[in-house]
Structures are given as structure tokens and as C-alpha cells.
Amino acid sequence: MKKYVSLFLAAVLCVGVLSACSSKEEKASSDGDKASSTDNGKKTEITWFDGTWSTPVPEPGNEGVQKINEKFNISFKPQFIPFDLYDDKLTVKMASGDIPDVIGTEGADANYVKWAKQGAFLPLNDYVDQYDTFKAIPQSVWDAVSVDGKIYGIPLYFPSSGGKKPIIRKDWLDKLGLKMPTNYEELKEVATAFATKDPDGNGKNDTVGLGLAKGIVYDPAFGAFWSSSTWYHKNDDGLLIPGQIGKGSKEKITVLNELYQAGAIDKDWPTQPYNEVFKAFNAGKVGIWYEQVGINKGAQSGNLDIPTLTKNAPGAEVAAIPAFDAPDGSKGYVGGSGYYRIWMLSSALKNDDDKVKKILEMMDYMEKYVPAQEQNSSNEYFDWTNGGEGKGYKMTDGAAEPTEEFSKYAPLANFNEKLGGWIEGDKSMKDYEIQSKTPESKAFNKDMVGMLQKSDFYISPVGRIHSTVYDSKITALNEFATNELTKMIVGQRPISDWDKFAEEYMAKGGKQVVEDVNNLINEAKIQGEWKKAEQ
């Protein structure tokens, strides 16, 4: 994964809400754990190797680990590596042949597929239906972690509706007498007005209509039809093609070029990191940008910081922008991968069914759902998994917050390093409004969740297959496309070159990628599909 994507996803997880069961269910589960202890009293040793964003890094013998040992009657031996170093360490570990019982990774990348095909991981198809929290995971996610029909990892579920979506300064709309944009022509009108009609009222020409950062981050696609990241459109041969060369992308790039010429986009955007745009938005100088639901906004540089925004721009109001109506009649955003992080079991466990079940039991136990109003010490499960009130978490204004020593005391820190989880669909997203610490944050989360719950989401088929051709060529293709599209936006290459650009893309390896991806999609009998909103 690209580093900025990894950081972004980690930030999402760090603001989540914990999954758990009721105290009554906890007692029943505890009784069951006691009954499942080995008769001879010998503790099963479980080795665990994973990356982490936690600070400090969880230590092998800390109090959280001791609690895990006691509860599950095991000898838990975790080793955590900071994620910015983890990929290299994991590669060395796998090459050594000394593979731990459990190995973690952020996504089903080329290495994941290679190691699975080499026989490093244990197929889990016969196990996953035995655990309640695994049943909530959609088939599209199981497809993503499967290789040749075999499930090689347990994904940490993350709803496909999660992730950053377009947001807008609603107070600027109101001040200028404009309506929420519903198509790209209206977007162009609004963004241009934001940049030229002094929406902040300071008498200066110092506002940006539409935020954009180098690498065309975030992709200003107001619906799946225009997305660069998904394979939504087909070419003349009926083959699905990358969004970057699709007709929706052409419309989007044309509008971005017009906005750039009109001064509605920062002239320095091609060299500007995305976190700098967040700073400008928080300073009250950007009208349209991107964010997601969450509690502790401002905890990291790449976040909307509502308290800072309202301090800099009193009366600021931020609203979510619903997806535009597409020419083909569709309306909705691209769904996310549906997971963040995977745990694989070593194939050396193929004859140790008891240990396999114990490991899966632990994973299942740590992913149960607890509503926001029950996230306190009265819920035994929540209190235990989070290290106890006053140690792993503290209560502030009725909401639980992890302490600086969360990773030391919380058993949960050894599994997903967050106070909460996203399991059971979008239930936990509704909790953000309850847990928000300021009225402005509550209003933002209520508005964003309301928009998401009314939105359809397109599940791309490409995330459900594994193409070695794609893996070997896509990085270079993405770099080429980003560079050429950037040139078009700033006027260094004419939009009339679009067909030529698409031909160049295909000639640089895109043709082989398109053919292989489509063959695998057809063989797997999967397709892009719309997940309809619950009305």
C-alpha cells in the first residue's frame, strides 16, 4: 500500500468505536472459555508477528498480554514492528522459513498472493463459518483475501462505505446564495464562486474553490462513474478498463482544467502534499475537500479539525456532498475494500486443529460489537478488552478515550490497536454522533452518516481477483496516467489528446493488464455490483 493510504486507514481505525457484546453475553463467553481449557493444563504457545501504528509499540510481556494468557489459557508470544518498517521485516521473516503461527499484513498485495501460492499460509475455508463475527464479513471481502478459491486470511472488517468523501462549506453556499452541486457543471459554478466572490468576507482574494493535491489526491470523483480507482467502464471490445482512461475520467479532467484556468484550484496543487490542503481547509480557506466520520478530528495532520476550523472561521458549517447523477442513470460512490489488515495462519498448523481453533476463537472474541452508550466500565467485555478504566482508557464527557498507555494494558491493542471496531456493517458509524466531543463535530458526523446511509456503493470486481500482471505493471501505469492527467489539468497537454493518451496507456502495459484482469473476472464469475442503500 502507498504510505499515505496506510496512514489514512490507520487514522480511520484509530478513531473507531469498539465492537463488543453485553455483560450478560460476556459472562456466558467467560464460562465457555473456562470449559474449553486443555485437560492437562499445558498452555498452548501462540506466536504472532504483525505491524502496528501504536505508540508505544506493544511489548511481549505487558499486562494486556498477561490478560490474554489468563483468559485463553495460552502462552501468547506477540512481536510487533512499527508499520513504517514492517514490510521489510516481514519479507525477511518469510524468507527465513521460520514463520510464526500468525502473520499480519495490511492488504492482499502481490506478496500475499505469492506466499499463499507457495504454501506458506493455511487455507481457512472449513473454519470461518464457525465464528459469529466472521459471518458479518461480505463475500466480496472473502474474495479479496482468497487465492484460487482458498481463504488464506482473516480480514479485519471495515465497511465499504467508510473512507473520505467530498465535503463542502455549507455556510459559503448559503452566503453566496448557491445550492449544493449535483453535477459537474454546478460544481464548476460553485467552486469558481468560492474562489472569486470572497465567501469568507475578508475583502481579499485568498480562498480556494476546490482542494486538490499532488498525485490528484483526493480523486475528485463525485460518483463511481467518474472514479479513477475503479474499473467501471468498458471499451469497444466489451472489456472493463481502468477508470483513469474511462469516459467518466475525461469529463472530470475537463472540468478540472476549466477550474484551474478560472483560478478555482490552487495554482501550486501539483507540488502540494495533501496534508497541506487539510491545513488550508482548517484555516478556513478551502471550500470543497474530503473527510470521513470520526471522533478525534485533528489528532493527525491529515484530518479535518473542526474546533480549529470554527476558531479560524466562526460560523463555519461543513456538509457532505451526495454523489452526482451519472449519465448512465447510476448514483453512488465507489465502495472501499471492505477490510483493513489481514491475519494469516502458518501452514505448519495444518495438523494442529486445536491451535487453529484457539487462534480463530481469539480473533472472533476481540471483534464483538458494543454500542456507544455501553462503552464504559459497566460492560465487562468492553472494560476488559480495553485494559480497564483509568489504565487502557478514560471516560471524558461520557465517552471512552484510549490513554497513552492503551497498548500496554489493553488486550485489544494486540489485535487491532484501536478503541473500537467497525464490525456488524455500519452500526458503529451511528455511534460517532453520540461520541463526538463538540456540537460542531456532532453536526458533521450526523450529516455525513446520514448521507452515507442514503448512498449506494459500487463494489469493484478488481478488488476481488488477484492478477500478477496487474501487480507487476500497475504502479508504473498509475504514475504515467497521473503525470499525463496532471498535464491536462494545468494545460500542458490538451484534452483533445485523450484518445492518444489512452492508447499510450495501453501500449505501456495496460493492454496486458486489461486482458488478464478481465480473464480472471470472467473465470471467477464476478462482476461490478451496486450495494443499495437501506431506506
Side-chain angles (χ1 to χ4, degrees), residues 437-468:
K437 297 175 176 57
T438 67
E440 296 86 357
S441 295
K442 288 180 183 292
F444 170 78
N445 285 325
K446 181 178 181 180
D447 180 77
M448 178 62 80
V449 172
M451 187 276 283
L452 294 174
Q453 290 178 334
K454 295 175 183 177
S455 297
D456 295 342
F457 287 89
Y458 181 76
I459 308 301
S460 175
V462 179
R464 302 171 67 172
I465 53 98
H466 301 288
S467 165
T468 55

Side-chain angles (χ1 to χ4, degrees), residues 41-332:
K42 183 180 178 181
K43 292 188 175 182
T44 301
E45 181 177 286
I46 295 176
T47 54
W48 190 288
F49 188 78
D50 203 356
T52 183
W53 291 109
S54 289
T55 303
V57 173
E59 297 178 354
N62 63 29
E63 187 171 317
V65 170
Q66 294 174 23
K67 290 179 178 179
I68 291 171
N69 287 338
E70 180 180 352
K71 181 170 187 60
F72 294 100
N73 192 33
I74 61 172
S75 177
F76 188 47
K77 304 290 185 182
Q79 181 182 0
F80 290 97
I81 307 294
F83 261 126
D84 54 356
L85 304 173
Y86 184 65
D87 285 348
D88 291 339
K89 298 288 187 181
L90 177 59
T91 299
V92 172
K93 175 68 71 174
M94 296 299 295
S96 73
D98 181 21
I99 303 176
D101 296 322
V102 179
I103 310 96
T105 187
E106 287 191 283
D109 58 11
N111 277 334
Y112 175 87
V113 176
K114 178 183 70 174
W115 293 328
K117 289 188 173 184
Q118 290 175 346
F121 308 140
L122 182 71
L124 301 172
N125 302 60
D126 295 337
Y127 294 95
V128 294
D129 287 341
Q130 301 175 31
Y131 302 91
D132 288 342
T133 60
F134 301 164
K135 294 177 183 178
I137 299 174
Q139 184 59 46
S140 60
V141 177
W142 288 121
D143 289 343
V145 300
S146 297
V147 178
D148 297 331
K150 295 179 180 179
I151 296 172
Y152 284 107
I154 300 298
L156 180 59
Y157 177 55
F158 181 98
S160 59
S161 59
K164 285 180 167 57
K165 301 294 184 292
I167 57 174
I168 193 167
R169 284 287 299 274
K170 186 177 181 301
D171 56 309
W172 284 9
L173 285 175
D174 295 341
K175 180 176 181 179
L176 299 179
L178 299 169
K179 295 181 179 179
M180 181 73 73
T182 62
N183 56 52
Y184 275 95
E185 280 303 308
E186 293 176 0
L187 176 75
K188 185 167 59 175
E189 177 188 359
V190 167
T192 302
F194 281 179
T196 61
K197 295 186 177 181
D198 192 26
D200 61 353
N202 69 351
K204 300 178 181 179
N205 185 23
D206 60 352
T207 52
V208 173
L210 173 69
L212 194 62
K214 68 178 181 179
I216 315 182
V217 174
Y218 294 96
D219 180 17
F222 291 77
F225 184 89
W226 301 276
S227 173
S228 294
S229 63
T230 195
W231 291 47
Y232 184 89
H233 298 281
K234 292 183 179 181
N235 62 15
D236 293 339
D237 296 323
L239 299 177
L240 289 167
I241 58 175
Q244 292 156 316
I245 60 174
K247 59 183 179 181
S249 186
K250 181 179 180 180
E251 178 185 356
K252 174 182 64 183
I253 297 300
T254 299
V255 171
L256 292 177
N257 169 258
E258 293 170 349
L259 286 171
Y260 183 79
Q261 293 177 9
I265 300 175
D266 193 305
K267 62 181 178 61
D268 296 323
W269 76 266
T271 60
Q272 189 174 47
Y274 76 98
N275 60 328
E276 291 299 319
V277 186
F278 272 108
K279 291 179 181 178
F281 191 92
N282 292 333
K285 297 302 179 182
V286 178
I288 300 170
W289 188 228
Y290 305 85
E291 195 41 276
Q292 62 207 5
V293 293
I295 304 167
N296 299 314
K297 292 304 174 188
Q300 298 191 11
S301 60
N303 268 337
L304 164 63
D305 187 340
I306 293 180
T308 297
L309 173 62
T310 53
K311 179 180 179 181
N312 291 325
E317 184 178 355
V318 181
I321 303 178
F324 294 166
D325 290 311
D328 65 354
S330 66
K331 182 179 182 179

